[in-house]
Amino acid sequence: MRATLFRRCSSTLPPTIRQLLAPSVTSELSQHSTRSEQDANVTVTGWVKSIRRQKRVSFAVISDGTNSAGLQAVFPNPSLVPKELTNGASVKLTGRLGKSPAAGQDKELLVEDIRILGNCNPEEYPIQKQALSNEFLRDNVHLRARTSAIASMLRLRHALQRELSSHFEQQGFLHVHTPLLTSNDAEGAGETFKLAKTFDKSTPDAQVPPPSPSDPDEFFGRPAHLTVSAQLHLEAFQTALNRVWTLSPAFRAERSQTNRHLSEFWMLEAEWGDLPIGSDAGVRGICAFVEGMLRASVKSLLVAPGTREDMDVSWGISTDDKAEMKRKRREELERAIYNKERWKIMTYGDAVLTLQEEYERQSREDASRFEFEPTWGKSLQSEHEKWLAEVFVGGPVFVTDYPIDLKPFYMRLNDPDGDRQTVACFDLLVPGVGELVGGSVREEREAVLLRRMKESGLWNEVDGLGEYEWYMDLRRYGGSPHVGFGMGFERLVSWVGGIENVRECVPMPRWAGRLSL
Amino acid sequence: MRATLFRRCSSTLPPTIRQLLAPSVTSELSQHSTRSEQDANVTVTGWVKSIRRQKRVSFAVISDGTNSAGLQAVFPNPSLVPKELTNGASVKLTGRLGKSPAAGQDKELLVEDIRILGNCNPEEYPIQKQALSNEFLRDNVHLRARTSAIASMLRLRHALQRELSSHFEQQGFLHVHTPLLTSNDAEGAGETFKLAKTFDKSTPDAQVPPPSPSDPDEFFGRPAHLTVSAQLHLEAFQTALNRVWTLSPAFRAERSQTNRHLSEFWMLEAEWGDLPIGSDAGVRGICAFVEGMLRASVKSLLVAPGTREDMDVSWGISTDDKAEMKRKRREELERAIYNKERWKIMTYGDAVLTLQEEYERQSREDASRFEFEPTWGKSLQSEHEKWLAEVFVGGPVFVTDYPIDLKPFYMRLNDPDGDRQTVACFDLLVPGVGELVGGSVREEREAVLLRRMKESGLWNEVDGLGEYEWYMDLRRYGGSPHVGFGMGFERLVSWVGGIENVRECVPMPRWAGRLSL
């Protein structure tokens, strides 16, 4: 028999630097140490972040990407340190992990054996020690995870995803992978990317599908778009599994160049049918859930030593003139997470009144002014949202019950207040970012929803059937009151990490005119 | 001040049926019960799965999507049960959760109050009690999560994702969101989808980006494709953070109609730089890691009561003539996970010899024959892969060291064996699915890699720079030996759930000619 069995060997990888430096691991390793009660024999693989050669001893910081500080390596015999040990080189070091006499670190590695796994010519290496501009790093996006700023962001992003997943798990939600390719054209909001009809290569495949019904030039027999939101699809799962969520890519062919828009981004979306125990009905109940989710997830980042250090890195990157503002913002973030006092909540109507008072004050005092006059029925401008969160509240604020014309068809109609018609929705505004989360009660009443779709120009009938007939089915067959929200994941990373531009909140950013790799 | 504070209220949702039926929760609830030591007052929201009206008592099974069995509801006064309580209707029931006298369930709900939240006309409801064909449910994909088969699959999928995430976390990996839009044209493998140059809507946006360098008609200034694999991008993160993985959508404009291909699917991919402690070097080390990952993740599904029941549902769905085969397959799966004996491993060369012997035996005995004669240098056909896993081994089998011409440029060249040139790679074949995982040692030697790219026709130079110059950079600057693999997530669901077609392993399947919703 030619198939052999594996010999028994471990399927577990060696400990990472983060695992080695964790207090419990170090003490466990020392128990088996042959050298002393303090030291443990370890092997570490990583990249050289910095090196300091001295006459009697040399030092290097080695990173394997698992923590922000790396590991301090001490070379007691500098003459044995090869010249290839340069910034960016990949190395494998073996030695004794022991208590460090230096300040700022508990442990250091006393190196006994050095192997260079990959050279890095310091003359040519683009990732130099001095500060590199964001723009330079976007041009070298394949190398930028080697900077401490991007590496810390990636660890924060990972931790946020993990903590959010864990929160949804505890709350009984099911994670569902909603589709990226869709026949929906954006639910009428924003621009969508469309797939090309033909592809570059000929397809000499014998099993070509039968000619498609509506358009034989289309791969799918009909036009295909990239999704702008998972919500409608997620609602189909809500009517079967109640509590569902997803963290999924979404796409907008958005040409504006702002610090909070990307063409490809990740959205966390959730839909469910019951509100927190004892909470206010409707929108306030959703807001309570969202606040609970953000407090729980961000708090675990604030208390864990690893992510806390990553936040020190990402918050610490700023020009001098912004340092004071960043210090204030980070305090606001921690207050929002730790304070017992619940987050502020106000209606859109009250927000407009408040903004109008501020606008009048600015006019009277000739202070720096809003560019746009706040008016009931018009969108809150970015400057308005920022003022509300950053100046008026100094922290997160929920703004609820927007006018019907500003929001999509699927948000539930409130009872009219005079001639003002609003929907049961909210935006969560946070300092430095603006809109972080948007959500609503969904319109569950079949007749109201159909009217709203027709008013929005989305009800195109073919052969007597509407394009969104399937979405109406969700109401016809056991559809019941439910709620949901969407959160831009890069904006969350921006808020938690104090990172100014969402282009630095995603591993490889894409925006109009830019698609590297 | 118009912003108000929330009143203190919970941000926690009420318990789900799964949470209510968990042993610890039920006993905890009973402590606070005002009725008896056994019973607890609870409210449950869900959908009616079945109803049985009798003279003196009525019964219904209520599902909220969190478990396969649902909750048995008992109505002691049938005259008070409204006629709207029909299959598919959404209901809110309040009553006492207590021990059930019936077999097959621990608890039941003695209903005291009934609220109908959403009607469902049983005459029109497409999801009827009798078995529905896969094809009918694909046509009604927005409703199919209401069937027990698809709901169980979605819970298995969720659990697999959770357990794999937890395994990678323990092993020190970082989850990275690799981009979906890419300028790479498929690394020369398979067909890619391309974005259309123009979009449907005019973009009257003031902030239009500057004219793009190479193609002003393209949104990104250059052609954009949907990714077929995250691997090359993931390698860029590997050279900074060492252990990285992703679970990401991927796309293939694949026209063939098989039971294991989708146009949009999810791939788990991982790259890292060190092998398990004490493992064989190279490919065998990766195989040991992959086996450990699958054993750990699937085992936790096999031992958890909830997912075990979901597997009973998904494995139980078969026509009579396939029941025996399915029973055997499920035994093979459990044996592969539980048995101490490690999985089989064989080289491609030995696999071909074995297949040739079988081919000759079939010819001699005039048995049912392979359609294709096994030949060194040619791809293993699907029939060959299935025979190896299902007949020869009866379980998972790693096939390693394929000929160079059958595999992509990035796989590491082995030392030549005579005139046979192979690469350091593997495919993991499992019964019922065929190829589940594919991986390799990556070619880290700059000169060899460049030669391989040129031979593969991928090195198109513009202004003296190759299209994959960035990928070469990863080797130039501290690149070191590393390995990786990719696993089709739907194929994993298919293997673990005993589901015949991957179209039933993803929430909303897309394939050539078909794009619903």
Side-chain angles (χ1 to χ4, degrees):
Chain A
M1 185 148 166
R2 290 192 184 86
T4 61
L5 289 176
F6 272 124
R7 282 182 287 130
R8 304 287 311 154
C9 72
S10 170
S11 61
T12 300
L13 301 183
T16 63
I17 289 179
R18 180 184 210 134
Q19 289 168 343
L20 282 174
L21 296 182
S24 61
V25 174
T26 318
S27 67
E28 199 181 298
L29 280 172
S30 355
Q31 290 177 8
H32 306 286
S33 170
T34 54
R35 301 297 178 116
S36 78
E37 282 183 26
Q38 286 299 316
D39 300 354
N41 256 308
V42 297
T43 295
V44 163
T45 308
W47 290 269
V48 178
K49 301 302 274 188
S50 68
I51 180 153
R52 194 152 46 93
R53 291 172 191 273
Q54 296 184 350
K55 215 168 216 166
R56 299 176 54 180
V57 63
S58 289
F59 302 94
V61 174
I62 308 300
S63 166
D64 67 354
T66 57
N67 70 340
S68 64
L71 174 68
Q72 174 88 357
V74 182
F75 304 90
N77 191 341
S79 65
L80 297 181
V81 176
K83 68 177 189 332
E84 290 84 6
L85 196 90
T86 59
N87 279 349
S90 170
V91 294
K92 188 174 196 167
L93 304 179
T94 303
R96 284 181 291 138
L97 188 67
K99 262 207 160 347
S100 173
Q105 60 195 27
D106 285 346
K107 307 274 168 190
E108 63 181 23
L109 181 72
L110 201 61
V111 179
E112 293 167 353
D113 186 62
I114 307 172
R115 273 188 60 200
I116 305 288
L117 301 180
N119 294 339
C120 186
N121 183 338
E123 307 292 313
E124 294 173 4
Y125 189 39
I127 307 300
Q128 295 292 321
K129 288 286 289 178
Q130 65 268 28
L132 301 165
S133 75
N134 282 338
E135 197 49 40
F136 175 84
L137 291 171
R138 291 169 193 163
D139 283 342
N140 289 277
V141 72
H142 61 302
L143 301 174
R144 76 173 187 168
R146 301 168 183 216
T147 64
S148 16
I150 296 293
S152 283
M153 177 277 287
L154 290 169
R155 284 188 295 268
L156 285 178
R157 199 179 154 104
H158 166 93
L160 279 168
Q161 181 178 5
R162 182 190 60 222
E163 297 305 323
L164 286 162
S165 299
S166 151
H167 184 77
F168 278 107
E169 185 80 25
Q170 284 163 25
Q171 298 274 309
F173 279 73
L174 199 77
H175 189 284
V176 179
H177 287 127
T178 45
L180 285 291
L181 296 175
T182 170
S183 57
N184 291 341
D185 177 10
E187 300 126 42
E191 286 95 21
T192 61
F193 289 107
K194 190 178 167 307
L195 290 199
K197 281 199 176 187
T198 51
F199 12 114
D200 293 341
K201 292 178 182 162
S202 61
T203 52
D205 198 309
Q207 295 166 290
V208 172
S212 49
S214 64
D215 190 340
D217 289 344
E218 294 278 4
F219 182 87
F220 293 107
R222 59 200 297 189
H225 302 88
L226 295 184
T227 188
V228 297
S229 156
Q231 185 201 316
L232 301 195
H233 292 129
L234 210 50
E235 283 188 73
F237 297 103
Q238 191 279 321
T239 54
L241 306 158
N242 193 13
R243 296 181 194 168
V244 290
W245 76 289
T246 193
L247 178 61
S248 176
F251 305 86
R252 299 250 167 115
E254 165 87 66
R255 283 188 184 264
S256 60
Q257 308 271 333
T258 78
N259 68 351
R260 47 183 210 151
H261 289 94
L262 294 163
S263 299
E264 175 181 329
F265 56 102
W266 286 72
M267 280 253 279
L268 188 155
E269 294 176 89
E271 297 284 326
W272 72 101
D274 37 14
L275 291 172
I277 300 163
S279 76
D280 291 305
V283 174
R284 297 176 77 99
I286 322 174
C287 295
F289 179 87
V290 167
E291 179 178 341
M293 170 193 81
L294 287 170
R295 279 180 184 256
S297 313
V298 178
K299 191 173 190 175
S300 49
L301 268 69
L302 291 174
V303 298
T307 43
R308 179 110 210 147
E309 284 159 20
D310 283 322
M311 287 177 71
D312 290 343
V313 171
S314 71
W315 279 95
I317 296 154
S318 67
T319 49
D320 284 349
D321 60 322
K322 290 189 176 168
E324 175 56 23
M325 185 268 286
K326 280 212 161 190
R327 197 195 49 72
K328 177 172 161 285
R329 285 279 157 74
R330 190 172 178 183
E331 273 179 21
E332 282 168 358
L333 171 71
E334 304 217 358
R335 199 161 56 230
I337 302 305
Y338 281 121
N339 257 20
K340 288 227 163 64
E341 192 176 273
R342 296 288 295 272
W343 296 355
K344 301 279 191 306
I345 186 163
M346 68 197 304
T347 64
Y348 165 88
D350 283 344
V352 169
L353 285 179
T354 306
L355 287 161
Q356 283 170 338
E357 283 169 17
E358 170 66 10
Y359 184 78
E360 282 154 24
R361 188 195 64 79
Q362 288 175 355
S363 308
R364 274 197 314 275
E365 298 177 13
D366 209 21
S368 68
R369 287 177 63 159
F370 288 145
E371 193 182 343
F372 298 91
E373 184 176 348
T375 313
W376 203 98
K378 292 205 171 160
S379 292
L380 297 185
Q381 297 293 322
S382 178
E383 59 179 357
H384 303 147
E385 294 181 342
K386 279 172 185 274
W387 182 85
L388 283 170
E390 293 166 13
V391 182
F392 183 65
V393 171
V397 54
F398 292 101
V399 180
T400 69
D401 303 285
Y402 283 68
I404 182 173
D405 292 336
L406 300 181
K407 293 291 178 182
F409 68 90
Y410 49 72
M411 297 191 169
R412 195 178 200 279
L413 272 195
N414 287 325
D415 295 333
D417 176 16
D419 58 351
R420 289 185 166 180
Q421 178 63 69
T422 58
V423 290
C425 72
F426 75 93
D427 282 358
L428 172 63
L429 313 177
V430 300
V433 173
E435 184 194 335
L436 175 64
V437 185
S440 81
V441 182
R442 309 312 188 191
E443 184 58 77
E444 87 281 8
R445 295 163 294 184
E446 193 185 337
V448 181
L449 184 62
L450 186 62
R451 196 183 77 222
R452 292 277 285 132
M453 293 186 89
K454 287 181 174 171
E455 285 167 3
S456 307
L458 287 168
W459 193 256
N460 305 314
E461 288 193 11
V462 180
D463 299 333
L465 288 174
E467 197 182 337
Y468 288 89
E469 205 73 53
W470 69 272
Y471 188 67
M472 296 303 298
D473 272 0
L474 305 181
R475 272 63 180 171
R476 285 177 193 132
Y477 305 123
S480 50
H482 62 286
V483 302
F485 69 87
M487 172 168 70
F489 195 56
E490 285 75 23
R491 292 187 183 183
L492 176 66
V493 174
S494 163
W495 183 47
V496 173
I499 302 166
E500 283 178 58
N501 196 314
V502 287
R503 291 174 190 174
E504 274 67 63
C505 295
V506 67
M508 291 190 177
R510 278 88 179 80
W511 69 93
R514 185 73 72 98
L515 178 72
S516 292
L517 317 191
Chain B
M1 184 146 167
R2 289 191 186 86
T4 61
L5 289 177
F6 272 123
R7 281 181 288 130
R8 304 287 308 152
C9 72
S10 170
S11 61
T12 300
L13 300 184
T16 63
I17 289 178
R18 180 183 211 133
Q19 288 168 344
L20 282 175
L21 296 182
S24 61
V25 173
T26 318
S27 67
E28 199 179 298
L29 280 172
S30 356
Q31 290 177 10
H32 304 287
S33 168
T34 53
R35 302 296 176 117
S36 80
E37 279 182 32
Q38 287 298 316
D39 302 353
N41 256 309
V42 297
T43 295
V44 164
T45 308
W47 290 269
V48 179
K49 301 302 273 188
S50 68
I51 181 156
R52 192 154 47 95
R53 291 174 192 271
Q54 297 182 350
K55 215 167 215 168
R56 299 176 55 180
V57 63
S58 288
F59 302 95
V61 174
I62 307 300
S63 167
D64 67 354
T66 57
N67 71 340
S68 64
L71 175 67
Q72 174 87 356
V74 182
F75 304 90
N77 192 341
S79 65
L80 298 181
V81 177
K83 68 176 192 327
E84 290 83 5
L85 196 89
T86 58
N87 279 349
S90 171
V91 294
K92 187 174 197 167
L93 304 178
T94 303
R96 283 181 291 137
L97 188 68
K99 262 207 162 343
S100 173
Q105 59 194 26
D106 286 345
K107 305 275 168 190
E108 63 182 23
L109 182 71
L110 200 63
V111 179
E112 293 167 353
D113 185 62
I114 308 171
R115 272 188 60 200
I116 305 289
L117 302 179
N119 294 340
C120 186
N121 184 338
E123 308 292 313
E124 294 173 4
Y125 189 39
I127 307 299
Q128 296 291 321
K129 287 285 288 177
Q130 65 269 29
L132 300 165
S133 75
N134 282 338
E135 198 48 40
F136 174 83
L137 291 170
R138 290 169 194 162
D139 283 341
N140 288 277
V141 73
H142 60 301
L143 301 175
R144 74 174 188 168
R146 301 170 182 214
T147 65
S148 10
I150 296 293
S152 282
M153 177 278 286
L154 290 169
R155 285 189 294 267
L156 285 178
R157 198 177 156 105
H158 166 94
L160 279 169
Q161 180 178 5
R162 182 191 60 221
E163 297 306 322
L164 286 162
S165 299
S166 150
H167 185 76
F168 279 107
E169 184 79 27
Q170 284 163 23
Q171 299 274 309
F173 278 72
L174 199 76
H175 189 284
V176 179
H177 288 126
T178 44
L180 285 290
L181 295 175
T182 170
S183 58
N184 291 342
D185 177 10
E187 301 126 41
E191 287 96 19
T192 62
F193 289 108
K194 190 177 168 306
L195 291 198
K197 280 200 177 189
T198 51
F199 10 115
D200 293 339
K201 292 180 182 163
S202 60
T203 51
D205 197 310
Q207 296 165 290
V208 172
S212 50
S214 64
D215 189 341
D217 289 343
E218 293 279 4
F219 181 88
F220 293 108
R222 60 198 299 189
H225 301 87
L226 295 184
T227 188
V228 297
S229 156
Q231 184 201 316
L232 301 194
H233 292 128
L234 210 49
E235 282 188 72
F237 297 102
Q238 191 280 322
T239 53
L241 306 158
N242 192 15
R243 297 180 194 169
V244 289
W245 76 290
T246 192
L247 178 60
S248 175
F251 305 86
R252 297 252 166 114
E254 165 88 65
R255 285 188 183 265
S256 59
Q257 308 271 332
T258 78
N259 68 350
R260 48 184 211 149
H261 289 94
L262 293 163
S263 300
E264 174 180 330
F265 55 102
W266 286 72
M267 280 253 279
L268 188 155
E269 294 176 271
E271 297 285 325
W272 72 101
D274 36 14
L275 290 173
I277 300 162
S279 76
D280 292 306
V283 173
R284 297 176 78 98
I286 322 175
C287 295
F289 179 86
V290 167
E291 180 178 339
M293 169 193 82
L294 287 171
R295 279 180 184 256
S297 312
V298 178
K299 192 173 189 173
S300 50
L301 267 69
L302 291 174
V303 297
T307 43
R308 180 109 208 147
E309 285 159 19
D310 283 322
M311 287 177 71
D312 290 343
V313 171
S314 70
W315 279 94
I317 296 156
S318 66
T319 49
D320 284 349
D321 60 320
K322 289 189 176 168
E324 175 55 23
M325 184 269 285
K326 279 213 161 188
R327 196 195 50 72
K328 176 172 161 287
R329 286 280 157 74
R330 191 172 177 184
E331 273 179 22
E332 282 168 1
L333 172 71
E334 303 217 358
R335 199 162 56 232
I337 302 305
Y338 281 121
N339 258 20
K340 287 227 164 64
E341 192 176 272
R342 295 289 294 273
W343 297 355
K344 302 279 191 306
I345 186 162
M346 68 197 304
T347 64
Y348 165 88
D350 283 344
V352 170
L353 285 179
T354 307
L355 287 162
Q356 283 171 337
E357 283 167 18
E358 169 65 11
Y359 185 78
E360 283 154 23
R361 187 194 66 78
Q362 289 175 354
S363 309
R364 272 197 315 275
E365 299 176 12
D366 209 21
S368 68
R369 288 178 62 161
F370 289 146
E371 192 182 346
F372 298 91
E373 183 176 350
T375 312
W376 203 98
K378 292 205 171 159
S379 290
L380 297 186
Q381 297 294 321
S382 178
E383 58 179 358
H384 302 147
E385 294 181 342
K386 279 174 185 273
W387 183 85
L388 284 169
E390 293 166 15
V391 182
F392 183 65
V393 171
V397 53
F398 292 101
V399 179
T400 69
D401 303 286
Y402 282 70
I404 182 173
D405 292 336
L406 299 181
K407 293 290 178 184
F409 68 91
Y410 47 74
M411 296 190 170
R412 196 177 198 278
L413 272 194
N414 287 325
D415 294 334
D417 175 17
D419 58 352
R420 290 185 167 179
Q421 178 64 67
T422 58
V423 290
C425 71
F426 75 94
D427 282 356
L428 172 63
L429 314 177
V430 301
V433 174
E435 185 194 335
L436 175 64
V437 185
S440 81
V441 181
R442 309 312 189 191
E443 183 58 78
E444 88 281 8
R445 296 162 295 185
E446 192 184 338
V448 181
L449 185 63
L450 187 61
R451 196 184 77 223
R452 292 275 287 131
M453 293 186 88
K454 287 181 174 169
E455 286 167 2
S456 309
L458 287 168
W459 193 255
N460 305 314
E461 288 194 11
V462 178
D463 299 334
L465 287 174
E467 197 182 336
Y468 289 89
E469 205 74 52
W470 69 270
Y471 188 68
M472 297 302 299
D473 273 359
L474 305 182
R475 272 64 181 170
R476 284 177 194 134
Y477 305 122
S480 50
H482 62 286
V483 301
F485 68 87
M487 172 169 70
F489 196 55
E490 284 75 23
R491 292 187 183 184
L492 177 65
V493 175
S494 164
W495 184 47
V496 173
I499 302 167
E500 284 177 56
N501 196 314
V502 289
R503 291 175 190 173
E504 274 66 62
C505 295
V506 67
M508 291 188 178
R510 277 89 178 79
W511 69 93
R514 185 73 73 99
L515 178 73
S516 292
L517 317 190

